[in-house]
Amino acid sequence: MTLRLTNTLTGSQEVFTPQDNATVRMYTCGPTVYNFVHIGNLRTYIFEDVLRRHLASKWKLKHVMNITDIDDKIINQSMETGIDLKAYTAPFTKAFFEDCEKLRIQRPEIITAATDYIPEMIDLVSRLLDTGFAYREGDSIYYRISRFPNYGRLSKLDRRELKIGARIDADEYEKEEPRDFVLWKAPKDPREPRWPAPFGEGRPGWHLECSAMAMKELGETLDIHCGGVDNIFPHHENEIAQSEAATGHPFVRFWVHGEHLLVEGEKMAKSKGNFFTLRDLMEKGYGPLAIRYQLVSVRYRKQLNFTIDGLREAGAALDRIKEFVFRLNSAKLKPGSNDRIAKAIATAQAEFEGSLDDDLNTSGALGALFVLISECNVALAAGELQEDNRAEILKWLEVVDERLAIIPPMEHFVPGDQEADQEIVALIARRNEARRNRDFAMSDKLRQELLDRGVLIEDTREGTRWRRKS
């Protein structure tokens, strides 16, 4: 199948293959480690993780992600607290990777911390000075956007909006301020971190960092560069300008950006009380897998409305998957294969792959999974699903988990488990007796009591089976 991705540079879907037809060279913008990442950041990292997993199923992958451990916000907070830069950023860097582990986000092949690549940044500034794309103003170095005719093509910026000759020192700014941006900042406070350079002591501007790190690890032309839509301007626009001015080659072939999310229908803001980190949501009792599920349930290019009701629905969807796998593992099946189920499995596999190849249509991929679950549940109830079908389904579920990482962990069913807790067995016996006596109110009451104890039950042809919720 052919993978198509929406390229922000062209504004259209394009067939993707790596430039050498063997290894994908991908760069993703990592966190700025001045605080814990929030749920909007996590949506971007999860979409990049799904992309990474899908790419790795087709080609070799060399994935680089940066850690921005120096920028305006970090420096200001470091100085305010009186904590050394490295000491200030270390706990937030650690927390980020802890969050990634909880959310099943795979670790890239290479992690680049900005402060580890200062020599490469200094070299890039020197090259831009030598070619006239950079100039000195005071003790700082700026990029001359008037020299770069393609400036604005990624963000579709009208060149008439450019403020030629105007300069901006801030790392982040609005689209209304497309000015010459700072490459190397002279210190304004004696407490600011600084490094010696041929053009003067100082520290790198934020935009410079990613270009230097990406080209050092992946070469002058990257296959894919990802980030959130908020990175398009000015960050990624400036990366293109400084990189291509230095090398004379295209910097990135495919720019892939994830859309923002809303929280309960509104833009996320601390003042609105709808600003969440992973830790905030876990303290409220929501598991990381349900959070991941809700974040992959909508295609990355569409705006997602993240809601508490959505988290509950995600939990219910995960329970449905887990119940299905439990039934599949515990059922006594006839040997052989049911051709109708085999065809349903093949259809689900094809639709799953086709959806992910269609610009990472994760909602379509999930739809293929649940259609198969529905068909197989009916077949299980009718005694039509057979041993070979079970093996094929379980093997495919491993593929689903490799790509989306949303299959809940399972306790494998062991027949002797039902004798492990006599009190539970006794409650199940009472409930079954109530069902036989058509006392459905008592049956429902006992089922709820079992559920309150964290016990799930399944009525099968072989009798009632049970397991504890994980």
Side-chain angles (χ1 to χ4, degrees):
M1 294 184 182
T2 301
L3 172 61
R4 299 183 67 86
L5 295 171
T6 296
N7 189 347
T8 306
L9 195 63
T10 62
S12 60
Q13 271 197 26
E14 300 175 25
V15 174
F16 174 80
T17 54
Q19 54 192 320
D20 66 358
N21 294 313
T23 302
V24 181
R25 292 168 172 82
M26 181 169 81
Y27 185 89
T28 59
C29 283
T32 300
V33 285
Y34 69 99
N35 209 330
F36 300 114
V37 295
H38 56 67
I39 200 69
N41 304 136
L42 292 173
R43 186 194 188 193
T44 298
Y45 302 133
I46 287 175
F47 116 66
E48 292 166 349
D49 181 62
V50 172
L51 175 59
R52 169 196 164 80
R53 289 166 177 269
H54 194 52
L55 290 168
S57 73
K58 299 172 180 288
W59 301 284
K60 294 179 181 177
L61 178 66
K62 187 176 183 183
H63 175 192
V64 176
M65 183 181 70
N66 74 297
I67 300 293
T68 297
D69 57 355
I70 180 168
D71 84 332
D72 290 345
K73 292 189 293 288
I74 294 171
I75 291 170
N76 291 337
Q77 293 195 27
S78 172
M79 291 192 301
E80 285 176 13
T81 57
I83 301 173
D84 169 79
L85 192 74
K86 286 284 189 184
Y88 182 82
T89 57
F92 296 120
T93 302
K94 180 174 181 287
F96 169 70
F97 287 112
E98 289 172 349
D99 288 353
C100 288
E101 186 174 355
K102 290 184 177 76
L103 289 167
R104 301 186 179 182
I105 297 172
Q106 292 181 341
R107 196 177 183 95
E109 281 68 33
I110 300 174
I111 306 291
T112 57
T115 53
D116 292 337
Y117 287 75
I118 299 297
E120 288 77 13
M121 297 174 200
I122 291 172
D123 178 66
L124 182 52
V125 174
S126 296
R127 293 165 70 184
L128 293 170
L129 281 167
D130 290 344
T131 55
F133 282 93
Y135 64 93
R136 175 186 298 277
E137 181 68 29
D139 292 326
S140 295
I141 308 297
Y142 294 85
Y143 183 90
R144 184 179 280 116
I145 60 174
S146 62
R147 287 288 304 273
F148 191 71
N150 287 326
Y151 190 87
R153 61 179 173 164
L154 183 71
S155 54
K156 312 300 185 284
L157 184 70
D158 190 331
R159 283 190 61 81
R160 291 172 298 179
E161 298 177 28
L162 302 183
K163 296 179 173 65
I164 303 299
R167 290 175 297 280
I168 192 161
D169 285 309
D171 285 335
E172 300 176 69
Y173 47 92
E174 300 300 321
K175 189 169 182 175
E176 290 72 28
E177 298 175 316
R179 310 177 181 192
D180 290 357
F181 56 92
V182 67
L183 295 166
W184 189 259
K185 293 187 176 187
K188 296 179 180 178
D189 188 299
R191 297 171 296 171
E192 285 186 40
R194 66 200 66 200
W195 287 265
F199 35 80
E201 191 176 60
R203 58 96 170 174
W206 175 43
H207 313 297
L208 179 75
E209 298 172 5
C210 284
S211 288
M213 292 185 287
M215 291 194 292
K216 167 69 174 179
E217 298 296 345
L218 297 173
E220 292 182 349
T221 300
L222 285 56
D223 286 310
I224 297 175
H225 193 317
C226 296
V229 292
D230 53 315
N231 288 143
I232 295 174
F233 188 91
H235 188 45
H236 291 164
E237 195 72 69
N238 291 350
E239 282 187 51
I240 292 173
Q242 63 204 7
S243 302
E244 296 186 1
T247 68
H249 299 135
F251 177 45
V252 174
R253 297 173 58 236
F254 278 73
W255 288 92
V256 183
H257 291 96
E259 186 52 81
H260 286 302
L261 59 72
L262 301 175
V263 178
E264 302 291 350
E266 294 187 296
K267 186 176 179 180
M268 186 169 54
K270 289 182 179 179
S271 60
K272 295 179 180 178
N274 66 351
F275 184 98
F276 297 121
T277 66
L278 179 62
R279 286 159 174 74
D280 295 332
L281 292 168
M282 290 181 67
E283 286 174 5
K284 293 177 181 290
Y286 301 103
L289 196 56
I291 295 166
R292 181 181 175 102
Y293 186 95
Q294 187 175 179
L295 292 175
V296 302
S297 65
V298 174
R299 194 201 302 238
Y300 76 99
R301 287 192 300 106
K302 291 187 176 181
Q303 195 169 66
L304 165 68
N305 185 24
F306 188 88
T307 66
I308 297 302
D309 283 345
L311 279 177
R312 296 190 186 102
E313 291 169 5
L318 294 173
D319 284 344
R320 187 179 172 197
I321 296 171
K322 195 164 185 176
E323 281 297 311
F324 170 65
V325 178
F326 172 66
R327 291 188 72 190
L328 196 63
N329 276 320
S330 61
K332 292 183 179 179
L333 305 180
K334 297 176 183 178
S337 175
N338 180 314
D339 288 343
R340 182 177 62 81
I341 299 303
K343 288 177 183 178
I345 296 167
T347 298
Q349 291 171 328
E351 290 183 356
F352 181 86
E353 295 292 337
S355 293
L356 292 181
D357 278 341
D358 178 22
D359 201 20
L360 294 190
N361 182 2
T362 48
S363 57
L366 289 170
L369 170 63
F370 281 104
V371 167
L372 182 66
I373 287 175
S374 294
E375 292 186 38
C376 290
N377 275 331
V378 172
L380 280 167
E384 296 172 351
L385 200 140
Q386 295 176 245
E387 279 289 358
D388 291 351
N389 302 136
R390 168 160 56 193
E392 192 174 1
I393 293 166
L394 290 172
K395 184 176 180 180
W396 182 59
L397 288 175
E398 291 178 3
V399 173
V400 172
D401 206 37
E402 286 170 4
R403 305 295 180 79
L404 299 182
I406 49 84
I407 302 297
M410 290 297 303
E411 313 86 0
H412 291 290
F413 174 76
V414 179
D417 285 352
Q418 286 154 328
E419 286 75 46
D421 191 322
Q422 293 304 313
E423 188 175 354
I424 297 300
V425 172
L427 283 170
I428 291 171
R430 286 177 57 199
R431 180 225 172 223
N432 289 344
E433 180 66 22
R435 291 180 72 225
R436 283 192 292 272
N437 293 333
R438 304 185 66 78
D439 187 352
F440 298 118
M442 177 57 69
S443 171
D444 291 344
K445 179 181 178 182
L446 290 167
R447 176 186 277 272
Q448 185 60 50
E449 184 176 344
L450 288 162
L451 188 61
D452 291 343
R453 292 176 179 229
V455 174
L456 297 175
I457 59 175
E458 175 72 22
D459 295 313
T460 74
R461 287 168 173 251
E462 294 79 35
T464 302
R465 301 181 182 275
W466 67 274
R467 65 177 173 85
R468 296 189 184 278
K469 292 176 70 175
S470 60

